[in-house]
Amino acid sequence: MKTFLAVDSQSVTRACRGVDGNWLVETVLAGQQACCLAADPQNRAVVYAGTNGNGLFRSSDGGQTWSRLGLAGQIVKAIAVSPHDPDVIYAGTKPALLFVSRDGGKTWTELESFRQIRGRWLWFSPAEPPDWRAYVQAIAISPTDPDVVLAGMEFGAVVRSEDGGQSWSNHLSGTLRDCHDMKFHARSGDWVYEAGGGGAAVGRENGRSWRKANAGLAKRYGVSCAADPEKPEIWYTAVGPSPRKSYGEQAEAYLYRAAGGADWQPIGWQAHPLPQMPIALVTDPAAPGYLYAGLTYGDVWHSIDYGDSWQKLPFNLGRIWRSMILV
């Protein structure tokens, strides 16, 4: 039975089916300024939430109840749980720092080499005035090599480690410096995907080589991305013309699918532009062809055929701020 979790910058909204088959929607982790979510790939009932100044929280029952985990006082913007070892968790913060726990979140260590990345003094984010500080927006761990970790900034660079975060590359050529979303394929380390300012990009060779992937996009402000769990050559992205036209009530949104190296093709439940941004795109590791699109103001649309047809799910998650997961 699927459960949806989303953050609205204040709380976590949880939607699940009740015993009578109806959907139940509730607010959890209220008032903790939740801003990102991640699930343990090996046990999706174990969920982590990062907050805007209150550190990390953990749930072991699919988001029903939560406990404090650590990093008190930190603004945690991104979380990733290793698909190889559930005790290994990475957390990215604002300002742009990276922490790791190797004991399930009991203790945390800053990866100090992250401070030494060349050019980081140029990292600058217009997203959150008045301090304009860059932050870690996305963390992706290779499904085939536990030591390969990618981190994407808002705004500044996408960088790569081959030793579990002990050392880092400079900005990776071919990636988008303004990273909004980045994900490894669920099973293949040969594929990794990014959406950000400048459109979309795709990486190969465990994120070692990258290229821009914008052919067919009407606009090039990338917001979210996802990939089919069975066919890594099929992936999705949502874009808009600008920040103002992507996140608010006057959105001008476009949803696309790319397959087999071909140009992007528009998909969706109505003609483009869509009036709300698919701010979160989620695929189901157990269901090839399934795609969920969480819209800015809480509606969730679902396709079971790679985006060819769509159904609106019978619940609303309220305001979704970037992060929605399926557990």
Side-chain angles (χ1 to χ4, degrees), residues 57-78:
F57 288 77
R58 181 183 187 273
S59 172
S60 59
D61 54 12
Q64 296 182 70
T65 60
W66 297 82
S67 58
R68 289 186 181 273
L69 192 61
L71 295 179
Q74 296 286 347
I75 301 173
V76 180
K77 290 285 196 177

Side-chain angles (χ1 to χ4, degrees), residues 148 150 160 172 175 184 189-192 203-210:
V148 172
L150 299 170
R160 180 177 183 271
L172 295 169
T175 61
F184 262 102
D190 194 40
W191 293 81
V192 59
R204 305 298 299 272
E205 302 177 298
N206 260 321
R208 189 175 291 107
S209 63
W210 286 80

Side-chain angles (χ1 to χ4, degrees), residues 92-179:
T93 66
K94 175 183 178 180
L97 304 175
L98 203 62
F99 297 82
V100 65
S101 173
R102 304 191 187 279
D103 56 10
K106 297 182 180 67
T107 60
W108 292 86
T109 302
E110 183 188 343
L111 295 169
E112 295 184 357
S113 61
F114 199 76
R115 294 176 179 259
Q116 309 305 317
I117 297 169
R118 191 173 66 193
R120 67 169 285 143
W121 63 277
L122 293 170
W123 298 358
F124 165 87
S125 174
E128 296 186 3
D131 57 13
W132 316 110
R133 290 182 297 176
Y135 50 87
V136 180
Q137 178 64 44
I139 305 167
I141 305 169
S142 167
T144 55
D145 187 336
D147 291 328
V148 172
V149 184
L150 299 170
M153 261 49 71
E154 162 104 30
F155 172 100
V158 173
V159 295
R160 180 177 183 271
S161 174
E162 295 184 342
D163 52 17
Q166 299 309 304
S167 63
W168 294 88
S169 72
N170 299 318
H171 174 67
L172 295 169
S173 176
T175 61
L176 307 165
R177 287 185 179 271
D178 186 16
C179 180

